[in-house]
Amino acid sequence: MTYEPFHIIGKDRPARWLITCDHAANTVPPCVGAGDLGLAPEDMARHIAYDVGAAGVSRHLSELLDAPAVLSNFSRLVIDPNRGEDDPTLLMKLYDGTIIPANRHADADEKARRLDAFHRPYHAALAALAARQEDTVIVAMHSYTPKLNGYPPRPWHVAVLHEKDSRFATPLIERLMEEPDLCVGENEPYGGHLDGDSIDRHALDTGRPNVLIEIRNDLIETEDQQRAWAERLAPILMETLAKVGL
């Protein structure tokens, strides 16, 4: 099977939603270290390599919303699609205390090669899907680890990240906070904007309504958990969008 740097699900689905998953996979393409970054399998299964569970939530959410989804098919350690091309963390050599052997000596030429092979094709696909309708609403799905090395546990079950455009994010946070069993974070466990990131490029620069949702990854480890979160989020998203009238 020919390697592709992204997957598109439901390309012809009619809804105005577009689900994106920048960190969907821990795949190391064959042309990068012969498919191996030099990390142990247990490290490649961690949050440092991809957003655990986010792809499953994205697939189910796109089906429930009758919307397309675009998912990356390369590890964030190969090159991070949710970073601008000039971001210093685009190609990580150390992440959460773990050295990435295949990246230690990656130079500007290698970074450029990975941009051309993976990062740019993913963003081209995302841009094309976003442009298919004039009123596209982007929902970016991510997940985060319950605890970074040397830091306290993260209590939030779900969080919404935003900064420059809060038209949809703020009402969604307010709606999620009505759920009695959820600890909801706003711009937690980190801030909601980086220049040149996916939301910046495909939503903020174009004026599209958008939201970035983070789920703590121990809550979406299994297929059943991923489906349950999608089933919970889909009606809340639709209800909130209708309420704000975007």
Side-chain angles (χ1 to χ4, degrees), residues 18-228:
L18 171 60
I19 313 303
T20 69
C21 192
D22 294 331
H23 301 142
N26 59 357
T27 305
V28 181
C31 64
V32 177
D36 189 344
L37 292 175
L39 292 174
E42 53 267 31
D43 280 325
M44 289 303 298
R46 294 173 58 213
H47 69 98
I48 64 170
Y50 73 126
D51 281 1
V52 176
V57 176
S58 299
R59 292 188 186 97
H60 291 299
L61 195 58
S62 72
E63 182 177 1
L64 292 166
L65 294 174
D66 201 19
V70 57
L71 286 69
S72 69
N73 188 32
F74 52 94
S75 171
R76 65 193 304 167
L77 297 178
V78 171
I79 196 161
D80 194 329
N82 195 34
R83 296 293 184 273
E85 293 192 8
D86 58 353
D87 191 298
T89 64
L90 178 70
L91 201 162
M92 295 289 282
K93 301 186 178 186
L94 175 70
Y95 194 175
D96 195 19
T98 297
I99 294 172
I100 319 305
N103 292 350
R104 289 184 67 179
H105 304 294
D107 58 13
D109 288 342
E110 177 61 11
K111 182 171 78 171
R113 186 181 76 86
R114 295 188 196 183
L115 279 167
D116 284 339
F118 316 119
H119 192 282
R120 289 171 181 154
Y122 170 76
H123 281 286
L126 200 167
L129 283 171
R132 79 199 191 287
Q133 296 187 34
E134 292 184 359
D135 61 349
T136 297
V137 180
I138 294 179
V139 177
M141 291 303 311
H142 291 260
S143 72
Y144 58 90
T145 182
K147 186 180 181 301
L148 285 174
N149 288 328
Y151 289 85
R154 293 163 163 176
W156 312 281
H157 301 117
V158 62
V160 175
L161 276 55
H162 65 104
E163 185 171 315
K164 295 184 178 181
D165 179 3
S166 302
R167 293 173 296 165
F168 188 27
T170 296
L172 181 62
I173 292 166
E174 292 170 352
R175 174 61 184 85
L176 288 168
M177 285 182 171
E178 295 175 6
E179 300 289 298
D181 60 330
L182 291 183
C183 179
V184 180
E186 179 173 5
N187 289 330
E188 299 287 1
Y190 26 70
H193 177 264
L194 291 170
D195 289 340
D197 68 12
S198 290
I199 288 292
D200 193 41
R201 292 179 61 168
H202 302 288
L204 301 184
D205 283 353
T206 58
R208 295 184 179 110
N210 65 90
V211 68
L212 191 157
I213 298 174
E214 294 263 6
I215 303 173
R216 205 176 68 205
N217 69 24
D218 60 321
L219 304 177
I220 50 172
E221 292 176 332
T222 70
E223 181 79 12
D224 286 346
Q225 290 174 316
Q226 293 157 17
R227 183 183 297 107

Side-chain angles (χ1 to χ4, degrees), residues 4 11 45 68 128 161:
E4 296 289 346
K11 181 178 180 180
L161 276 55

